[in-house]
Amino acid sequence: MKYPFEEIEAKWQKTWEEKKTFFTNLTDIEKKIYCLVMFIYPSGAKLHCGHWYNYGPTDSWARFKKLQGFNVFEPMGYDAFGLPAENYAIKTGVHPQDSTLKNIADIKEMLKRMGCMYDWDAEMMTCVPEYYKWNQWLFLQLYKKGLAYRKNAPVNWCPSCQTVLANEQVGADGGCERCGTTVIQKNLTQWFFKITHYAEELLDGLNKIDWPEKTKLMQTNWIGKSVGAEVDFKIEGSDDKITVFTTRPDTLFGVTYVVIAPEHPLVKKIARPEFIEGIEKYIEQVRTLTEVERTSTVKEKTGVPTGAFAVNPVNGEKIPVWVADYVLATYGTGCVMAVPGHDERDFEFAKKFNMPIKKVILQDGTNEGDELTVAFTETGTMINSGKFNGTRSDLGINEVIKHLEAEGSGKGKINYRLRDWLISRQRYWGTPIPIIHCEKCGEVPVPEEELPVVLPYEVDFKPDGGSPLAGNESFVNTKCPKCGGHAKRDADTMDTFVDSSWYYLRYMNPKFGGGMFDTKLANEWAPVDMYVGGAEHATMHLLYARFIHKFLRDIGLVTSDEPFKKLIHQGTITNQGAKMSKSRGNVVNPDDFIVNVGADVFRMYLMFMGPYELGGDWSDKGIVGVDRFVQRTYAMVTTYPGIVKEAPAQEKYDIAGLSEAEKGIYRKINQTLEKVPVEVENFRFNTAVAALMELLNELKNLGACRKDFISYSLERMITMLTPLAPHLGEECWQFIGHEKTLFENPVWFAPDAAALESDIMTIAVQVSGKLRSTVSLKAGAGEEEVKAAAWQDEKVKAHTEGKTVVKEIYVKGKIYNIVVK
């Protein structure tokens, strides 16, 4: 009988919805598990393969935990603000709110067809005032603590998207993460969240969470902790000074010039008049370059002198001050000291511009007079360094810092590569920033009781580089909360990563009006036990969420330190070895397969393709194999209608009392019962599916078994199958005679330990320590039986013939070694 997937999947989706099978009782926290996928961005009306690969297998893990008796909370929501909906509006005239809400309705139906066990009572979207009100409230709490601030700064600007991008949203090639357009630098007054305040704790916290090591390393590198010193170089003939940060104070005696960023305010202040024209031309050239281009290690070095000189604090030498694009005003102090002898970049710059190169660290095994052909950057012995001569350079670091501190010309310092989070966006479809600008009072926070600042529907989507909200006079023009005078609202909106930085805390009570989230439920259920999503979020969403969680802890809203205990990244599904894209014509549309083979087959095939974290390459032939497995399973089960009522299974069986067919099946079932939960627990779905396929092959002899044993076999096969193919599993469970569905009355069977012990043992037979053969005997056979079997083996006879036996050694149950000469 062919498996009628359309009828069965519709039946079970209706049953689960009507019975609210997946409603989670959040008061039951004894065996709770919070399982979450990164919520969906509804930029289109369809789920693609990537969505399926993220959501289907994760749901299978959640279902497995539910069958094991855990109270699993698996909600779903929509990361609904964002640029694509606004760009769509510019292109088509369809308002972002209208297109987003329509997409959400379509996506919800598809998610239900997928058969995931989402608790739809917890459904949530970020584009509604009852949600984004709390983004604004969060902003105000950060503002009160000095962790939200506004400043004029060079920012990343996408000319195509017409908005500012955070550093994390600029690709390694200097392109916008959304559209690929080359990002340029622009000076704008923007809002920032002070994530750097938590830099050290964000680093330390990585040791407390079960995340992929690669992701933790990416965050470690992104935060970029450096231990060193801040050193002051006085400007000759001026009261100004240049402060640099260095991790190598041991090389201070080798500084031959200082470099400052083109945007640094000191540039025009200290430059000699005859150098200003050249500096201004250089700054104009640099303006078109991205940070990625400026800091590239392969880019040709450029720079111009200022005519000014600085004084090296450790030896009093006068050194020239240069301007160069590889120094960024937004990183560190915006100034660097140059030690060409011991830094590769400085060496290249010095060679190009004929600057002096001084050797102050001597490489072991070389002479002081040997010319440097490349920069020496390793540990050595300090030379040409005054009283520090002869000191090992790694020890000299602290010695020089002590000297600087004693002289008042520097101090020990820890620096971070991490910059503050730029959250201003010159776009419409996002959370309005709750600040009012008053000529008399300056920037004034919107009073909390006046939240939310509601995003107006009427707006003109002109991509002119300004915020569309600025053109809505009824929105912008307002009264100052302090003086009552005329004022204007901030017309920018927040980065949508603010929306996703805390959403996991609101799922427990999405309609909660008494605060940002229900703190009692949130603290009982958070942090998330299992979080699954793409590795591309390593230094964006995953870092921002950790920062905001720690801030919420510090203001008393959460009691945990981290948002996500365990993190899993799904791999990528390719087609013909390439990433799926419309331009390549290799996109696999899930809908095309669901109508032909059903949601369970599609889900199982995605899981069977390869290791979850690696993904796999799509194959139409491969999905046929999974469909064949489902058809065979259904055909086998439907041979035994109501069998568990007719012949209930025993809890376990005495192997000695089973027939030969039953023994083989009993051992295989229990081996599979041992293997499958370990594989599913660790997201190794491909090997779990393979184990069930092997078991199905063993069950071909099921018809030769007694009826209660058939019940035993089918029940265990079906429970293992159900998390991976939920509609099929529920149908089979009901078909064999169970009144309640598996997810109403969860069942998971433990393996019989006795069945895992083999009744056959295999002994390796060695001749003088070399493996020559193996012999199989009944488990528990004595040494004499093993010896007899070994000497009867033809290969053993051939290798011992004509030789003298020195001794025979038996390692019980493992090896029989015959030593000859």
Side-chain angles (χ1 to χ4, degrees), residues 17 129 142 207 292 317 365 443 514 517 551 575 666 685 736 813 818:
E17 189 163 350
L142 286 157
N207 299 317
V292 175
E317 288 185 2
E443 59 187 40
F517 49 86
F551 173 71
N575 191 7
Y666 193 69
F685 302 105
I736 62 173
I818 303 167

Side-chain angles (χ1 to χ4, degrees), residues 129-405:
E130 56 263 31
Y131 185 89
Y132 67 72
K133 167 185 178 176
W134 300 106
N135 284 343
Q136 295 169 344
W137 183 86
L138 171 65
F139 179 102
L140 295 178
Q141 307 319 302
L142 286 157
Y143 186 81
K144 286 177 194 173
K145 300 286 184 183
L147 299 178
Y149 65 93
R150 194 168 180 249
K151 71 171 182 179
N152 187 275
V155 296
N156 303 306
W157 178 264
C158 176
S160 173
C161 296
Q162 289 287 309
T163 193
V164 166
L165 302 175
N167 291 311
E168 296 86 346
Q169 292 167 310
V170 181
D173 61 351
C176 169
E177 66 151 5
R178 285 281 184 205
C179 67
T181 301
T182 299
V183 173
I184 62 171
Q185 295 291 294
K186 196 171 181 179
N187 277 318
L188 291 172
T189 300
Q190 305 285 286
W191 285 99
F192 293 82
F193 284 170
K194 200 172 179 62
I195 190 174
T196 52
H197 182 72
Y198 287 88
E200 189 64 32
E201 198 183 341
L202 287 167
L203 272 178
D204 291 344
L206 293 171
N207 299 317
K208 303 172 187 173
I209 47 182
D210 184 6
W211 285 22
E213 287 304 317
K214 186 179 178 184
T215 303
K216 292 202 280 189
L217 181 62
M218 286 173 74
Q219 288 205 358
T220 299
N221 292 339
W222 190 260
I223 295 165
K225 181 178 181 179
S226 299
V227 180
E230 264 189 358
V231 187
D232 295 329
F233 290 76
K234 290 181 178 176
I235 303 295
E236 185 188 35
S238 166
D239 292 334
D240 292 310
K241 64 181 179 181
I242 290 173
T243 301
V244 306
F245 172 80
T246 177
T247 59
R248 294 292 305 274
D250 55 310
T251 65
L252 257 171
F253 287 84
V255 176
T256 58
Y257 61 100
V258 177
V259 184
I260 59 179
E263 308 86 358
H264 200 289
L266 271 179
V267 171
K268 291 182 180 177
K269 192 175 180 185
I270 66 172
R272 297 284 173 88
E274 63 268 31
F275 290 91
I276 287 177
E277 185 180 347
I279 291 170
E280 286 178 343
K281 283 181 181 175
Y282 182 72
I283 289 172
E284 199 56 40
Q285 292 169 15
V286 171
R287 207 183 298 279
T288 62
L289 300 175
T290 66
E291 285 191 7
V292 175
E293 288 170 326
R294 284 174 60 175
T295 55
S296 169
T297 55
V298 296
K299 173 183 166 289
E300 186 182 358
K301 303 296 174 282
T302 65
V304 290
T306 64
F309 287 85
V311 178
N312 189 328
V314 293
N315 58 16
E317 288 185 2
K318 283 199 314 178
I319 51 177
V321 180
W322 279 63
V323 173
D325 61 3
Y326 68 80
V327 182
L328 304 174
T330 53
Y331 182 62
T333 64
C335 312
V336 299
M337 66 182 211
V339 187
H342 306 289
D343 180 275
E344 291 170 4
R345 183 183 58 189
D346 297 343
F347 186 89
E348 288 175 31
F349 193 93
K351 281 287 187 184
K352 179 173 179 179
F353 294 103
N354 296 314
M355 312 282 272
I357 297 172
K358 289 176 67 175
K359 185 192 294 187
V360 294
I361 308 293
L362 183 65
Q363 182 178 359
D364 295 345
T366 65
N367 298 313
E368 192 172 329
D370 295 345
E371 185 184 353
L372 284 170
T373 54
V374 293
F376 173 62
T377 60
E378 304 301 319
T379 302
T381 302
M382 293 177 72
I383 57 171
N384 301 317
S385 299
K387 67 179 182 178
F388 302 102
N389 284 344
T391 305
R392 292 298 289 176
S393 58
D394 52 346
L395 301 176
I397 289 173
N398 283 331
E399 294 303 312
V400 173
I401 290 173
K402 286 177 189 173
H403 171 77
L404 291 168
E405 290 176 340

Side-chain angles (χ1 to χ4, degrees), residues 182 465 494 517 705 711 729:
T182 299
M494 294 186 208
F517 49 86
C705 304
S711 293

